[in-house]
């Protein structure tokens, strides 16, 4: 008999631990940048930060003038990134002149990912 781990946790505890209905979702994104980006890397960073903030998301990660790896999630305490956020970022990356390849991952639990 399998017992659901959430059944024995109160709503208050689930909220405190970001479990169940309080789970927050985010996604990974990575992109390869054109080798001739050169001094325009700062401009690319400004562009992607402006886009991320316009979607009310925050990002963590890093990169170099050749590659960028990010994890994005909502800027709201109990908010989650959405499928629309994923699709919008994928489109933005594909259309950006400095990006040669891009991959956006599925939504995952931002606090308890494996």
């Amino acid at each position: 008999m399998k017992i659901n781990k959430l059944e024995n946790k109160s709503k208050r505890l689930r909220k405190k631990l970001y479990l169940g209905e309080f789970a927050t979702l985010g996604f990974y994104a990575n992109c390869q940048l054109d080798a001739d980006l050169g001094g325009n890397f700062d401009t690319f960073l400004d562009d992607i930060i402006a886009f991320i903030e316009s979607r009310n998301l925050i990002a963590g990660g890093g990169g170099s003038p050749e590659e960028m790896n990010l994890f994005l999630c909502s800027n709201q305490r109990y908010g989650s990134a959405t499928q629309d956020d994923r699709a919008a970022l994928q489109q933005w990356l594909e259309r950006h002149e400095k990006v040669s390849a891009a991959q956006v991952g599925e939504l995952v639990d931002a606090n308890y990912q494996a």
Side-chain angles (χ1 to χ4, degrees), residues 64-78:
S64 66
E66 295 85 30
E67 177 181 33
M68 177 78 62
N69 295 296
L70 300 170
F71 184 80
L72 297 95
C73 57
S74 174
N75 197 22
Q76 302 299 311
R77 183 169 184 187
Y78 292 104

Side-chain angles (χ1 to χ4, degrees), residues 8-76:
N8 61 352
K9 293 187 175 28
S10 69
K11 182 176 181 177
R12 181 175 173 267
L13 187 56
R14 289 191 314 272
K15 186 174 183 179
K16 187 178 251 188
L17 296 174
Y18 295 91
L19 294 170
E21 69 269 32
F22 301 105
T24 55
L25 303 177
F27 59 95
Y28 287 98
N30 59 53
C31 61
Q32 302 297 318
L33 304 173
D34 286 338
D36 65 346
L37 189 61
N40 293 329
F41 184 62
D42 288 340
T43 303
F44 175 77
L45 286 177
D46 291 341
D47 291 348
I48 197 165
I49 289 169
F51 176 80
I52 290 168
E53 288 177 347
S54 76
R55 303 285 305 185
N56 203 23
L57 298 172
I58 55 175
S64 66
E66 295 85 30
E67 177 181 33
M68 177 78 62
N69 295 296
L70 300 170
F71 184 80
L72 297 95
C73 57
S74 174
N75 197 22
Q76 302 299 311

